[in-house]
Amino acid sequence: MDKFILIDGNSIIYRAFFAMPPLTNSKGLHTNAVYGFTTMLLRLLEEHKPTHVMVAFDAGKVTFRHEGYQEYKGGREKTPPELSEQFPLLKELLRGFGIAQFELEGFEADDIIGTLTKRADEAGRQVLVVSGDKDMLQLASDHVHIGLTRKGVTDIELYDPAQIKERYGLTPLQIIDLKGLMGDTSDNIPGIPGVGEKTALKLLHQFGTVEDVLNGTAELKGKMKEKIEAHAEDARMSKQLATIHREVPLEQTWEDMQFAGLQEETAGPALAKLEFKSLLERLNFSGKVDAVEAVPAAEVKSTIATEETIEDLFASLETIDVIHVETHGDNPHQAELVGIALGSSEEYIFLSPELLQSKAASSVRAWLANSDEPKRGYDLHRVDLALHAHGIEFAGAAFDVQLAAYLLDPTESNQTISGLTAKYGLPSLVEDDTVMGKGAKYKVPEVEVLGDFLCRKAAAVAAIIPLQEKALESDEMNSLFHELEMPLSRILADMEKQGIKANTADLQALGHEFEEQIGRLMSEIYRLSGTEFNLNSPKQLGEILFDRLGLPVVKKTKTGYSTDAEVLEKLAPYHEVVQHILQYRQLAKLQSTYVEGLLKEISPRDGKVHTYYRQTIAATGRLSSQFPNLQNIPIRMEEGRKIRKVFVPSEPGWTILAADYSQIELRVLAHISDDERLKEAFVNDMDIHTKTASDVFGVKAEEVDSDMRRSAKAVNFGIVYGISDYGLSQNLNITRKEAAQFIDQYFEVFQGVRRYMDDIVREARKDGYVKTLLERRRYLPEINASNFNIRSFAERTAMNTPIQGTAADIIKLAMVQMDEALRERNLNSRMLLQVHDELVFEVPADELETMKELVPAVMEKALELSVPLKAEVSYGENWYEAK
DNA sequence: CGATTCACG
DNA sequence: ACGTACGTGAATCGA
């Protein structure tokens, strides 16, 4: 016999949300309510083995109930965004489960269920209704049983008419009268004030219905009588509101609810996507996305090559397009090679580093170096550098799984191969740590284990690729990936291998200068504070300044007194020592990070520093630089700027040439906001801060003084960062109110910018992500957070990311085009560094004139915007001179 | 290993 | 009322 289960979706997900502790997936999406719902659902399916299941949802904001009573559900708190974002997740999961979902514009879930149960009564079908709402009891009959959640969601109490009688002494229909008298605060149904469940039950036992109670008030006396007579109309209306509508125009039929049991192929991926690992296990589902495409780990064929077998093995592989090179060590220029696996789909061979270096593997090395042999793998940029460091050339990177993962979600922190197999529901991979250990315990296992492990990694990469290709296609990032990031990855590797020459002797000399000054400052500070202590310890410094010297506390940190530069500036007038501490801090930073730090990074082999650009870190699409960081070499302060003198050309007679974009972020903003005033400023190549000041303060450009320009500059920065009055007030040291006025005036003038800021936040709320001009995306799961701070942060990010990210897109384009231009013209000049809006080259004397024109020209036409891009070029004997 | 500070765009 | 400007990496201290 058929068994039907009808679930009140809204009611249950609400219950689940408040019953479950907070739970978020790796993307930051809340999943606790869906989780609670799912556990309840699975239990129902197991216990009742239904043949038909349906989940009903409310649809539309205004229901017919509002027509008679505007305040219906009025007092109710707005659905928390942490819950709202779970509705789409639940609906997708139900699709994966093959469970019908009904909704009807203008009606609530209980009306749909009311209608279906009436039909069930008429047709004699056995139905179970599941809800968290007691109102549902009014639907009970011999055919219709009601399951109400009890504490939490998985515990369900079943009611038939007999049990309702036992519990309340009422018939199912009298449940409506009960609510008519009591009301319901959660739905803003008034009822009769002062009448709770006890009184209402007594009245109903005595009279029967609301109408009978109202007609029979003569039999009552005292306060009770007065209250009921005064609120008779409320009671009638409340009863009406509590009555479930049982005749809605529902087109779906019983057939539409058929449930054939959970299918692993669809339910598994749905659960995997939500990261409900415990439920996958409970159901014994692997959670793989597609049984056909997935490579069962057990089927990977791995062969360990030896000097004797490598030639034959290599030749016997039909196609080789996947490689996995395992390296060890953070700095790819110094990384050890652990092993290499190559092959395709399910068949791989493994080579030890020794074998790869040996004469026997020369054809493998030739294949690696051949750019016409496309290679797909994980973090090929690192592979390229690590192999290069061991004298093995690498070319032909065609698909980098890490880079694709970064584009698909640049904030994903676990972009490892095993993280990706989990994300895509592929057969799981043993963690690196498990096989090799980590930190001091790191140990390469014996070759059989290692070879098998690396071949499995390669097979996992092969399985991930088609899924990423699909995702890149649907997110419209094919061109960004294949035409920008992949080519750039090779260019970065070239720049890093090339390196930039650093003059060790000059750097050491500078270090001696700093050393001397630091020594003087230290003794002076100790003398003035009357004691010796560890100046590098903010904790000890705080004790000296605030406890011993009694200076006023300006700001505190989580752990104690704050002693940062901003605080010290404010303390300077109180005590002579503070100025010295500021100077000490500055020099100590230069000494430890830029002199000592840089000296450690100069390669003894070629006297150069080889940084490593990370292409998959910054959430906005920027690069970052490590070992050493060459994107934060001092420039703002003269003492620090001297560090730049040690960066020199690597060939005698050559020149360092640098070109930087002028105001690229504000130009990007002018383009994407389409603000007429801002565009006009750039079309006419005006000084943007002066222009902003003159517009905002309403004075002529000539009348803008340095203070006004400074304020305007701060506002422009604020705009790019996603402005807030608080941030601006901090920066300009003015009150929040004044800052707010500034911002208002700015938006009054630059109305297109205001519109952009409003639109982009709205877009982020709607889509859950923002995009750059080249379709790079960044998800902002916190854009709907209820916490003000968290939400505000996401809103500023929504405003800033398209600007910073598009600027990053543009300079990356310029780098790819610059690389082509150098090749086309057979130039020997080399691109060495990128510093977000600046490119640094070394240029032979006979190419200087060409490069002075070429570099800015390429940068300026990298991407056409509605305003011109401007690049300014300079050159000299070292990086300091190229200013 | 987290917190603090500070260098850059 | 809420209390942060956006994006990074490196050095140092101290639990």
Side-chain angles (χ1 to χ4, degrees), chain A residues 534-574:
Chain A
N534 186 347
L535 249 177
N536 293 324
S537 162
K539 186 164 175 258
Q540 293 183 35
L541 178 62
E543 282 159 16
I544 300 292
L545 291 179
F546 304 109
D547 296 338
R548 190 181 171 98
L549 300 179
L551 299 183
V553 177
V554 186
K555 191 167 71 174
K556 296 201 111 190
T557 66
K558 264 184 237 166
T559 52
Y561 306 119
S562 171
T563 66
D564 65 20
E566 194 193 318
V567 169
L568 295 182
E569 299 283 357
K570 292 206 170 92
L571 296 179
Y574 293 94

Side-chain angles (χ1 to χ4, degrees), chain A residues 207 209-220 228-229 232 236:
Chain A
F207 296 96
T209 68
V210 166
E211 290 75 18
D212 295 335
V213 173
L214 298 178
N215 290 334
T217 50
E219 294 173 39
L220 297 167
I228 294 175
E229 285 174 344
R236 281 198 193 91

